[in-house]
Each structure stands twice: as structure tokens, then as C-alpha cells.
């Protein structure tokens, strides 16, 4: 396994730097937007739920050190990829939580930030648990590819008094096509930011 010495502090590690298979990978450009919406800082505790290959986990761990990222993933193949990618970047502040959310979240330390990239059909339950443990002022950032997931996340945020923002990202990369170049579209994604409001006595 080749170690990666990525010297930059800005988000957006190229996709080819990560080990991957058929497990979904959050694309570089979507990762940049997702990380920006999370407003990460040093010493935070972060959940990455449905972590997939761990690309977002790796980027977040670099940004919150000496804080920690808890990568929650149920797929054994994905768990192996997360371990491999964490090792590739020499990170020691990532904890892999192998299990299905929301049950796998039990007993974890309260988070300052939560990423939700996959819910396995349990989004409402995951959001309820995260709401209970998320620190006041904390942020949930959810990446959705279906309108139904978007609707669930936005409705939950408004019902629980969060500050709600949503972004529809339609991105394309310039790629060679013989002697020419064409724009190749990435899958559209909705990025939802939910900011938990401080209590009045805080």
C-alpha cells in the first residue's frame, strides 16, 4: 500500500488518491462543498455516517486534528477500504465503528459535526439520534441523491428548529474525447446543512 503525503490544508484531495472498488466514493468537488458547509475546526468530534470509502472521513480527520472522526459503516468491504485509506494518509485520529446506524451510534461521544452520506433507509432514526447528542451550535451536513431524502432532511430540520440551508450541486468535469474535450456530468447531489440552534441560556 502506497502512503500518500498530501501537503495541502485545503479540502479536495483528488479521487485517485483513495483506494476504492464498487463502494460509492464522494467525488472531490462534492467533498469540497460538503466540508465547507460543515465549518470544521481543530479538536472537534465528527461523525461520518455511511462513510463508504472513507474519503470524507480522511479529509475531515486532517482538518479537525487533534479531534477525532468516528466513521460509521455497515458494509464490510467499505470498512476495509476505510481502514486502508486512513492508513494511506497516516491518520491516527479516526475510529471505525462497524455497524448499522442508528443503533451503531449508541455510546459514542457527543459530536460537534455530523456527516450523513448513507442511511440505509433509516434516515429519520439517524437524524433523531443525532439531534439528541449533537452539541448546541453543532452542524449536520447531509448529501442526498433523491428528492425524498432531501425532503426528509429539510422537514426534520424545520420541525426541530434548526437553521436549514440546501444546495443542489450539478457539476461537470472537462475530459478528453479523442482530439477534443467534452464536459462529463457528475451525478447531481443535494447538500443539506442543518445548524442546531443554541439554547436561550447559552
Amino acid at each position: 500500500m502506497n502512503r500518500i503525503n498530501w501537503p495541502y490544508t485545503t479540502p479536495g484531495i483528488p479521487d485517485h488518491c483513495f483506494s476504492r472498488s464498487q463502494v460509492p466514493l464522494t467525488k472531490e468537488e462534492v467533498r469540497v462543498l460538503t466540508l465547507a458547509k460543515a465549518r470544521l475546526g481543530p479538536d472537534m468530534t465528527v461523525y461520518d455516517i455511511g462513510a463508504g470509502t472513507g474519503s470524507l472521513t480522511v479529509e475531515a480527520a486532517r482538518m479537525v486534528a487533534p479531534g477525532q472522526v468516528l466513521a460509521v459503516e455497515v458494509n464490510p468491504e467499505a470498512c476495509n477500504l476505510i481502514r486502508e485509506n486512513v492508513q494511506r494518509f497516516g491518520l491516527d485520529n479516526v475510529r471505525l465503528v462497524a455497524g448499522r446506524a442508528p443503533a451503531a451510534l449508541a455510546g459514542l461521544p457527543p459530536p460537534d459535526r455530523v456527516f450523513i452520506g448513507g442511511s440505509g433507509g433509516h434516515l429519520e432514526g439517524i437524524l433523531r439520534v443525532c439531534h439528541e447528542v449533537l452539541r448546541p451550535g453543532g452542524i449536520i451536513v447531509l448529501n442526498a441523491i433523491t428528492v425524498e431524502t432531501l425532503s426528509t432532511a429539510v422537514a426534520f430540520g424545520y420541525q426541530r428548529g434548526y437553521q436549514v440551508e440546501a444546495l443542489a450541486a450539478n457539476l461537470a468535469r472537462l475530459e478528453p474525447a479523442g482530439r477534443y474535450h467534452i464536459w462529463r456530468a457528475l451525478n447531481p447531489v443535494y447538500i443539506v446543512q442543518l445548524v442546531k440552534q443554541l439554547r436561550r441560556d447559552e
Side-chain angles (χ1 to χ4, degrees):
M1 178 183 63
N2 294 329
R3 287 287 291 270
I4 302 292
N5 181 22
W6 189 252
Y8 309 107
T9 57
T10 50
I13 298 172
D15 294 344
H16 67 78
C17 293
F18 296 97
S19 295
R20 57 182 302 191
S21 60
Q22 298 303 310
V23 174
L25 171 77
T26 302
K27 297 297 189 294
E28 172 189 343
E29 296 82 359
V30 175
R31 230 181 300 128
V32 170
L33 292 170
T34 302
L35 290 160
K37 289 297 183 181
R39 301 174 188 165
L40 298 175
D43 211 29
M44 287 183 174
T45 297
V46 178
Y47 292 177
D48 184 10
I49 300 171
T53 60
S55 61
L56 196 59
T57 290
V58 165
E59 296 239 39
R62 288 164 47 87
M63 299 174 74
V64 303
Q68 66 171 336
V69 177
L70 304 165
V72 182
E73 178 57 57
V74 68
N75 182 337
E77 182 182 5
C79 288
N80 289 334
L81 287 170
I82 293 168
R83 293 187 188 97
E84 184 173 341
N85 283 316
V86 166
Q87 291 173 3
R88 292 189 86 178
F89 286 87
L91 299 170
D92 60 5
N93 62 331
V94 174
R95 174 181 164 193
L96 175 61
V97 180
R100 187 182 303 278
L105 305 178
L108 299 184
D112 301 286
R113 302 289 187 267
V114 176
F115 294 110
I116 303 176
S119 64
H122 302 283
L123 180 57
E124 290 193 38
I126 291 170
L127 286 169
R128 283 196 298 270
V129 171
C130 289
H131 170 71
E132 292 299 324
V133 297
L134 183 66
R135 298 182 189 277
I139 299 175
I140 299 172
V141 181
L142 182 142
N143 289 350
I145 59 173
T146 70
V147 174
E148 289 77 14
T149 298
L150 169 67
S151 176
T152 298
V154 169
F156 182 92
Y158 281 126
Q159 290 165 3
R160 302 301 175 102
Y162 283 71
Q163 176 185 316
V164 179
E165 292 187 10
L167 169 71
N170 293 276
L171 302 168
R173 291 175 174 170
L174 189 66
E175 294 186 359
R179 296 185 298 120
Y180 301 95
H181 288 78
I182 62 172
W183 291 103
R184 192 171 303 280
L186 303 179
N187 290 331
V189 61
Y190 305 107
I191 302 174
V192 181
Q193 180 199 62
L194 307 177
V195 182
K196 190 174 186 180
Q197 300 301 290
L198 297 170
R199 296 192 298 268
R200 292 181 180 178
D201 58 348
E202 293 180 311

